Amino acid sequence: MSVAVEGFKSSALLVQLDEHFKSLTPAQRKEQVAKVKGVFQFNVKNDAGTIQSWTLDLKNGEGSISVGAAKKADITIDIADQIFVDLAEGKANGQKLFMSGKIKAKGAVMLATKLDAVLKSAQTKAKL
Amino acid sequence: MSFPSLVTGGAECGPSNPMNGLVKSFSRDRSLHQDRIGPSRNAGGSSSGFRTAHPGQQQGGDQFSQEFLQSQQGGQQEFFEFNEMTKELDGIHQHRAPITAPGGPDWALDFMQQNGPVQQQHTFHNDAQFQEFENVFRSAQQQHHGPQVGGGWQSEFAAFEQTHGGLDHALQPEQIAAFEKAFEDAKQVSQWESEFQTENPQGWAAEFAAQEANPAADQDSKEALAKTAGMLLESVDPNSSEKFKNSSFMNFMRRLRDQEVAIEGNKLVEQTTPVISVNAGSDWAASFNQQQDKGKGKATDWSNEFEQQQQKTGGSTWTTDFEKRIEQHIQNREAGGMMSSEFAKQQESSWAEEFSGVAHMAGGSTAPGDWASQFNDSRQNVAQDWVNEFNSSNAAEELEQAFLQQQNQLNQNESWVETYRKNIAHLAQDPVDKEWDSLQKDWEKHEATGLGYRASDPRYQHYTFEQNNPYMVADTSKLMDLAARGNLTESILALEAAVQKNSADAAAWHQLGLRQQENERETMAIAALLKAVEANPKELDAWLALAVSYTNENCRVDAYDALQSWVENSDQYKGVMNSVPATKGRSAPERHEYVTGLFLEAARTNPGENLDPDVQIALGVLFNVSEEYEKAVDCFRAALNLRPEDYMLWNKYGATLANSHNTTAAIEAYFNALNINPSYIRARYNLAIACINLGQHREAAEHLLSALSLQNAGDAARGLMVGASTAGAQPDGGIGGMSQNVWETLKMAMYMLGRSDLAHRCETTRDLDAFRDEFDF
């Protein structure tokens, strides 16, 4: 089932993240889960003011991405649609966004440090 | 706030930042000479004006001497040797923000201009707080018959500083007049010392002067002191607190009045008094009392500090000395009215000469070089006495207390420094702040290591051949030739056939791996390259290509291992293994450090023109792994200079630029690669990613579709070659030729274009024709 939601630019990004995880071997997925150990809930607000939640579970099993709020999120991240895309594309620095209040995090804030790396791993990088 | 004027008790005011000036006055006290100068204006009146007048004098004198010092430093060294003195002066200058001092003559001008803005004196009276204080001090002054003249001169200096930032004003007639007036004052000043000692035997000032002149104060002075103390006691508000009335200061005053105690020569009179709560503005006497109380502890420090400073720098002594000399100079010059023309002349001639003349007049036949010793003399003869005087006069306490009092009013018993510290305290101590600190460290750690994988994908270990390869029937000797001449698909098939016939053909495996990279099929490239190095570890470039593929797959440690194997198996470079100390760490940063060290050493063996492009490429890959893209760009560029026709190198260069967010330059590099090899799938794929990063999703989609189309065309061609009998038998219909990740990227682009319908097709039918109607490829 696709994690795409109409009207959100970051939808494509989460699809990409989802595809990336699906492309990994179970062992690699477990490796990722072991490294991150957290459930992220993203509350993404688009330009129209609609808020959509996604859950990135990198704590249980082989990890998963799903639409909707988490049953038990370790960290809840409020972020604007475009900023999420910028962050994932490496155009924005997550730390700066946190510091400047453009990203708001509740819960285990330390997990946010791992978000950058998670997103980066799924980033479409140019191939050498 | 006009604080010094507050202390002065005069209607005149100081510079815009009097607190600053006050602090300066304390840290580098010149009140010695001002003490001598200031009260001269009080000469005719009661000596009780002495105390209230002199801090303001300090202010003026400070600036006066400062003007001189600056001009001296600015321009006088050329005229005569002042080195020794200048050194001494440095101590003073360090305390002050430098003001441009164009040269000696300007000093004279400055001096004249100082008298210009007399009207500035009253600008501070608007301030309510000042007014309050002023009233207090004015009443105190009136009580003691203190004349108001004293403040005028130095406030003129102060006002000058405010209003005349630049020093190059033209000489105005009124300035000349004011200047003359100032020198009349100065003349009085010069005579003050004697006047002070002879004309005011009853006053405080005389008391101090007497101390100075004669350590054993005469009876008259004691009486005067007692009288003054009595006045002070009378002036105390009878309604003030019991604590105040019983304070040690008041007791001390009573004892002074009753002549139970007298000031003994130069000795600092020790007082032990409780700290009394500030009742600001009630009375001058109260203020003074508080000063005594609160300043007590610090007064000792201040005087000590002052003594130390004086001993260290001699600066304040010198200024005193200077003023004395000026006085003498003025006396020698007779009329004050002449001074304006004198100073006008000095503008043209040099002040230094003038000053030198002063030195001669003052010091007799002593050369300018003897100034230093003169300073010492005057320090001993004059300044030291004053230090003692200062100690006993409590002038420092007075100023300090007035300062504190001011702060009390402003900040409710809390200095702004404390307020500031309190305000920022939470920044240093807040646990959230610490959390951010560790957050930052954590972040940096992840930034450095990333989330790499080990190359554990089983597909890496097994190369899956294309079924029904038509080249399997071809002659083995022709296969390599076919691989070199054919298009990408043909080349891959030929190479696959070659390695199937001879699995130990490392060169064929190597070529197959490179072709699969070119074809944007990383997994198969890794599998082929692993076979190549397995067959022949000396197939060096296979190691390098393997490192490239691992880097693309984010298998960082494996990339480092492959590059290390390149060095180990290189006959040319394996020597560097001995020159770089081995590390046992297996973490990505440790591995990076070690392997980079190897290649940097390898690069050093071939410096300059002889640089090895392979080493540069390896370094470029290394810096890609560690995401030091700027370094990587440099390495690839250096390699490109030697291999301008290497389209795969152009792509590496472009990809590195893209990853460092230099998309425009990356696109240019990709086009260079595609010009050399139009069927270079990976360059097209990268081009599409660059377009996505630029937000050009449609162009990106078209590039991706072109890449898929090329792969598909290859498959179609292969199908034709294989013949009708096998074409229908292939269940994958040639789709296997198209790269999974190209389709995935296309799907991304479709989502971004808001075409989830087409995105869905990227997962299911993968039918290029579905896109042909809407995209041009």
Side-chain angles (χ1 to χ4, degrees):
Chain A
M1 183 194 141
S2 173
V3 296
V5 174
E6 288 291 328
F8 285 85
K9 291 175 197 162
S10 42
S11 168
L13 150 76
L14 287 149
V15 168
Q16 183 185 1
L17 200 58
D18 190 35
E19 294 297 329
H20 171 71
F21 277 108
K22 283 177 186 165
S23 74
L24 296 177
T25 62
Q28 283 174 325
R29 294 175 66 145
K30 279 177 184 162
E31 200 178 326
Q32 280 275 41
V33 167
K35 278 178 183 169
V36 178
K37 291 196 209 82
V39 178
F40 297 78
Q41 180 182 320
F42 301 102
N43 300 324
V44 184
K45 189 175 186 178
N46 68 4
D47 295 341
T50 317
I51 295 176
Q52 174 67 50
S53 294
W54 277 273
T55 298
L56 170 62
D57 183 343
L58 286 173
K59 190 179 194 178
N60 305 304
E62 294 176 6
S64 64
I65 300 177
S66 56
V67 178
K71 280 179 189 130
K72 188 181 174 300
D74 292 308
I75 179 171
T76 308
I77 293 167
D78 296 348
I79 189 169
D81 194 22
Q82 183 59 52
I83 287 172
F84 201 5
V85 173
D86 289 347
L87 181 68
E89 287 176 0
K91 286 177 189 166
N93 177 300
Q95 194 181 6
K96 282 183 190 154
L97 290 173
F98 271 98
M99 295 296 186
S100 62
K102 286 182 177 168
I103 299 178
K104 291 189 176 65
K106 282 175 282 186
V109 182
M110 294 304 176
L111 277 173
T113 63
K114 299 177 178 178
L115 181 62
D116 230 18
V118 171
L119 293 174
K120 202 179 262 178
S121 70
Q123 202 177 325
T124 315
K125 271 170 114 181
K127 302 285 177 82
L128 293 176
Chain B
M1 267 309 293
S2 45
F3 188 111
S5 51
L6 181 157
V7 184
T8 307
E12 294 75 23
C13 32
S16 59
N17 190 359
M19 289 208 188
N20 187 24
L22 183 68
V23 172
K24 274 182 218 153
S25 299
F26 269 104
S27 62
R28 200 178 57 265
D29 206 311
R30 284 188 199 85
S31 25
L32 166 59
H33 56 88
Q34 285 129 11
D35 242 357
R36 296 163 182 286
I37 296 165
S40 72
R41 264 142 299 192
N42 309 339
S46 165
S47 59
S48 55
F50 163 72
R51 175 158 301 172
T52 51
H54 97 261
Q57 298 284 348
Q58 228 170 341
Q59 192 66 30
D62 181 86
Q63 297 194 7
F64 174 69
S65 52
Q66 194 61 37
E67 292 287 351
F68 165 69
L69 298 179
Q70 282 158 3
S71 59
Q72 191 276 326
Q73 197 182 49
Q76 292 317 303
Q77 290 93 329
E78 292 174 19
F79 298 104
F80 63 97
E81 290 299 331
F82 244 108
N83 292 344
E84 207 171 340
M85 185 170 77
T86 311
K87 270 179 220 160
E88 282 194 284
L89 294 178
D90 284 346
I92 301 165
H93 287 282
Q94 281 160 8
H95 295 283
R96 257 186 103 94
I99 300 168
T100 331
D106 288 318
W107 177 84
L109 184 57
D110 294 349
F111 198 93
M112 285 178 262
Q113 286 166 344
Q114 281 156 16
N115 297 289
V118 180
Q119 67 280 3
Q120 292 283 327
Q121 290 168 8
H122 299 281
T123 48
F124 290 89
H125 288 228
N126 300 332
D127 193 298
Q129 283 181 311
F130 168 75
Q131 196 68 48
E132 195 179 343
F133 273 85
E134 202 203 0
N135 290 339
V136 172
F137 279 89
R138 211 199 279 271
S139 63
Q141 214 169 25
Q142 281 163 1
Q143 200 173 359
H144 298 280
H145 312 292
Q148 302 260 335
V149 190
W153 189 58
Q154 81 275 5
S155 62
E156 278 163 21
F157 277 91
F160 160 73
E161 179 115 331
Q162 284 183 287
T163 53
H164 292 74
L167 301 175
D168 54 348
H169 289 254
L171 193 63
Q172 299 296 322
E174 64 267 27
Q175 287 178 323
I176 296 169
F179 164 78
E180 285 172 6
K181 185 178 172 289
F183 267 81
E184 289 296 339
D185 287 346
K187 251 176 86 180
Q188 290 182 346
V189 166
S190 67
Q191 293 156 5
W192 169 77
E193 204 160 0
S194 54
E195 284 174 1
F196 187 68
Q197 289 174 24
T198 55
E199 288 180 25
N200 291 297
Q202 307 96 332
W204 275 82
E207 184 66 36
F208 289 121
Q211 286 169 35
E212 187 185 10
N214 183 8
D218 61 25
Q219 194 58 36
D220 280 352
S221 300
K222 284 184 181 174
E223 279 170 11
L225 183 64
K227 192 179 167 190
T228 310
M231 277 168 66
L232 194 136
L233 283 168
E234 279 164 27
S235 71
V236 171
D237 185 357
N239 296 325
S240 59
S241 71
E242 282 299 308
K243 210 175 174 186
F244 170 58
K245 281 182 192 165
N246 298 328
S247 69
S248 295
F249 171 73
M250 296 306 283
N251 287 334
F252 173 62
M253 283 293 131
R254 280 183 208 109
R255 289 169 74 201
L256 271 179
R257 183 189 56 189
D258 302 331
Q259 296 197 37
E260 287 174 20
V261 292
I263 292 170
E264 295 289 332
N266 298 334
K267 282 180 192 165
L268 175 68
V269 177
E270 288 295 329
Q271 300 156 61
T272 51
T273 54
V275 173
I276 280 187
S277 64
V278 173
N279 185 13
S282 66
D283 197 307
W284 175 83
S287 304
F288 184 67
N289 178 40
Q290 287 151 12
Q291 289 156 17
Q292 294 277 352
D293 293 332
K294 274 201 170 177
K296 166 190 59 79
K298 284 173 184 173
T300 317
D301 294 341
W302 272 116
S303 47
N304 289 342
E305 209 174 297
F306 178 75
E307 279 177 309
Q308 279 172 9
Q309 194 187 349
Q310 188 143 40
Q311 279 156 18
K312 262 190 276 179
T313 65
S316 52
T317 310
W318 183 84
T319 53
T320 311
D321 201 50
F322 168 66
E323 290 214 358
K324 269 177 72 190
R325 278 162 215 288
I326 288 291
E327 287 157 20
Q328 281 174 316
H329 173 62
I330 291 160
Q331 278 176 326
N332 292 334
R333 290 274 170 180
E334 299 171 9
M338 282 177 64
M339 291 313 290
S340 59
S341 57
E342 283 297 327
F343 273 84
K345 254 193 263 170
Q346 285 164 14
Q347 279 185 286
E348 285 154 17
S349 67
S350 109
W351 185 87
E353 283 164 25
E354 204 70 33
F355 190 83
S356 177
V358 176
H360 282 282
M361 272 178 262
S365 59
T366 48
D370 291 329
W371 273 83
S373 59
Q374 285 180 29
F375 298 150
N376 288 334
D377 289 342
S378 43
R379 177 161 62 204
Q380 283 161 12
N381 295 338
V382 183
Q384 194 56 50
D385 285 347
W386 188 82
V387 171
N388 297 328
E389 187 186 336
F390 181 79
N391 287 348
S392 51
S393 74
N394 292 317
E397 293 170 273
E398 195 177 335
L399 286 169
E400 166 107 351
Q401 189 51 41
F403 185 66
L404 287 173
Q405 204 176 339
Q406 177 86 350
Q407 283 181 329
N408 286 341
Q409 273 220 335
L410 292 173
N411 295 328
Q412 281 89 43
N413 302 315
E414 181 180 276
S415 82
W416 72 269
V417 179
E418 281 168 48
T419 314
Y420 177 72
R421 287 200 181 126
K422 262 187 201 171
N423 287 341
I424 64 161
H426 73 278
L427 294 175
Q429 288 159 9
D430 200 328
V432 174
D433 205 44
K434 285 174 189 161
E435 203 173 310
W436 278 120
D437 270 357
S438 57
L439 194 67
Q440 166 112 30
K441 278 174 198 157
D442 217 26
W443 203 291
E444 280 163 3
K445 198 175 81 193
H446 278 281
E447 199 82 31
T449 56
L451 290 176
Y453 311 110
R454 286 313 303 264
S456 52
D457 194 326
R459 291 176 293 175
Y460 296 156
Q461 303 302 321
H462 184 71
Y463 188 94
T464 309
F465 291 104
E466 195 67 51
Q467 292 177 354
N468 302 315
N469 186 338
Y471 291 106
M472 287 301 287
V473 296
D475 190 0
T476 310
S477 59
K478 289 179 185 171
L479 284 175
M480 290 309 277
D481 187 45
L482 278 166
R485 280 192 297 109
N487 64 27
L488 187 57
T489 308
E490 289 167 352
S491 179
I492 287 170
L493 288 171
L495 288 166
E496 281 187 3
V499 296
Q500 282 180 87
K501 291 183 178 188
N502 178 14
S503 63
D505 189 346
W509 278 117
H510 178 199
Q511 285 302 309
L512 182 57
L514 291 177
R515 292 288 86 76
Q516 291 291 19
Q517 283 186 343
E518 199 179 317
N519 200 29
E520 191 45 53
R521 300 182 83 171
E522 209 74 73
T523 311
M524 297 184 85
I526 290 171
L529 292 166
L530 281 172
K531 297 279 183 201
V533 295
E534 187 185 302
N536 180 12
K538 294 280 180 188
E539 190 74 26
L540 283 185
D541 288 348
W543 286 115
L544 192 52
L546 191 56
V548 168
S549 284
Y550 280 141
T551 303
N552 289 336
E553 293 287 280
N554 208 14
C555 302
R556 297 172 181 226
V557 174
D558 298 279
Y560 293 132
D561 289 349
L563 286 167
Q564 186 177 330
S565 298
W566 186 92
V567 176
E568 283 168 350
N569 290 291
S570 165
D571 292 333
Q572 190 182 352
Y573 295 113
K574 63 185 170 192
V576 303
M577 297 293 294
N578 301 322
S579 52
V580 177
T583 53
K584 286 178 181 169
R586 293 293 296 169
S587 74
E590 284 167 308
R591 293 291 295 146
H592 177 76
E593 194 184 343
Y594 175 62
V595 180
T596 306
L598 290 178
F599 276 93
L600 287 174
E601 191 60 36
R604 271 185 215 111
T605 62
N606 286 319
E609 298 294 309
N610 303 320
L611 94 150
D612 186 338
D614 284 333
V615 174
Q616 292 300 318
I617 292 168
L619 281 168
V621 173
L622 276 167
F623 290 129
N624 260 286
V625 178
S626 60
E627 297 178 353
E628 297 167 272
Y629 295 118
E630 282 77 13
K631 289 183 189 174
V633 164
D634 289 343
C635 294
F636 286 135
R637 195 185 289 131
L640 271 172
N641 283 335
L642 296 160
R643 293 184 187 167
E645 291 301 307
D646 187 340
Y647 56 87
M648 294 184 83
L649 189 50
W650 274 111
N651 178 66
K652 288 182 180 69
Y653 178 60
T656 309
L657 286 167
N659 288 335
S660 65
H661 301 291
N662 189 352
T663 310
T664 317
I667 288 174
E668 207 174 306
Y670 295 145
F671 274 120
N672 279 332
L674 286 168
N675 278 339
I676 299 164
N677 181 359
S679 65
Y680 190 1
I681 304 293
R682 172 159 288 175
R684 245 171 234 285
Y685 169 77
N686 282 338
L687 190 54
I689 290 170
C691 289
I692 289 172
N693 286 335
L694 289 175
Q696 298 166 328
H697 298 121
R698 187 166 192 89
E699 288 77 2
E702 285 171 1
H703 286 303
L704 291 167
L705 287 164
S706 297
L708 289 168
S709 173
L710 275 167
Q711 287 181 324
N712 200 35
D715 289 345
R718 181 197 58 195
L720 287 174
M721 287 167 67
V722 169
S725 60
T726 53
Q730 281 188 309
D732 57 0
I735 288 167
M738 287 188 278
S739 297
Q740 174 79 9
N741 65 334
V742 180
W743 278 112
E744 282 173 7
T745 309
L746 182 63
K747 183 170 71 179
M748 276 278 297
M750 289 300 126
Y751 275 121
M752 285 169 181
L753 285 168
R755 295 300 304 271
S756 46
D757 56 328
L758 288 173
H760 191 60
R761 281 176 180 266
C762 297
E763 278 186 272
T764 53
T765 61
R766 292 196 167 173
D767 178 9
L768 282 176
D769 292 334
F771 297 89
R772 283 194 195 278
D773 297 338
E774 299 185 49
F775 296 95
D776 184 23
F777 60 94

